């Protein structure tokens, strides 16, 4: 019923930038937060950043100062601005939505940072 559509992934050089977006659609009564997780090859999925409906944010230490999460409640959309990208940021990035009806996940978008 709920769908998450992600976009913005791709291949960038170290030091470059990307902006990910995730739009949620469907019947959602209440959104607790939207966020981004990532999973690199051989590693477990980790939280990158999240934003609550009132604008409170939380970031992984590894991305603080480089990534910024923002949201548009009217559009049920969350963004992740990624600056100063490093090779270790290479991963599949997943959009996550926590609602009163449960958790929802996007299909993932590949971010590759390489020269």
């Amino acid at each position: 019923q709920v769908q998450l559509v992600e976009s913005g992934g791709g291949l960038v050089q170290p030091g470059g930038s990307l902006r990910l977006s995730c739009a949620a659609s469907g019947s959602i009564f209440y959104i607790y937060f939207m966020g981004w997780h990532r999973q690199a090859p051989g590693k477990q999925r980790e939280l990158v950043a999240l934003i609550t409906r009132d604008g409170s944010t939380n970031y992984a230490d590894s991305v603080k100062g480089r990534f910024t999460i923002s949201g548009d409640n009217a559009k049920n959309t969350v963004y992740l601005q990624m600056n100063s990208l490093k090779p270790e940021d290479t991963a599949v990035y997943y959009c996550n939505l926590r609602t009163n009806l449960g958790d929802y996940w996007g299909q993932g978008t590949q971010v590759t940072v390489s020269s």
Side-chain angles (χ1 to χ4, degrees), residues 38-94:
R38 68 185 181 187
Q39 187 166 20
K43 296 184 178 181
Q44 292 194 265
R45 189 175 299 186
E46 64 173 345
L47 173 68
V48 176
L50 65 82
I51 183 168
T52 67
R53 71 190 315 273
D54 68 353
S56 179
T57 59
N58 192 15
Y59 296 92
D61 288 341
S62 60
V63 307
K64 286 181 179 178
R66 300 188 297 118
F67 292 9
T68 302
I69 188 169
S70 61
D72 185 334
N73 288 338
K75 297 181 178 179
N76 288 331
T77 301
V78 65
Y79 307 93
L80 185 67
Q81 179 66 46
M82 304 185 293
N83 298 325
S84 302
L85 284 163
K86 305 175 181 179
E88 51 261 44
D89 294 318
T90 296
V92 177
Y93 285 70
Y94 297 91

Side-chain angles (χ1 to χ4, degrees), residues 88-111:
E88 51 261 44
D89 294 318
T90 296
V92 177
Y93 285 70
Y94 297 91
C95 180
N96 170 237
L97 175 66
R98 172 68 64 83
T99 78
N100 60 310
L101 300 179
D103 281 3
Y104 299 91
W105 293 86
Q107 293 297 309
T109 183
Q110 177 71 47
V111 172

Side-chain angles (χ1 to χ4, degrees), residues 10-18 83-87 89 112-115:
L11 173 64
V12 297
Q13 296 182 9
S17 298
L18 283 174
N83 298 325
S84 302
L85 284 163
K86 305 175 181 179
D89 294 318
T112 302
V113 185
S114 176
S115 59

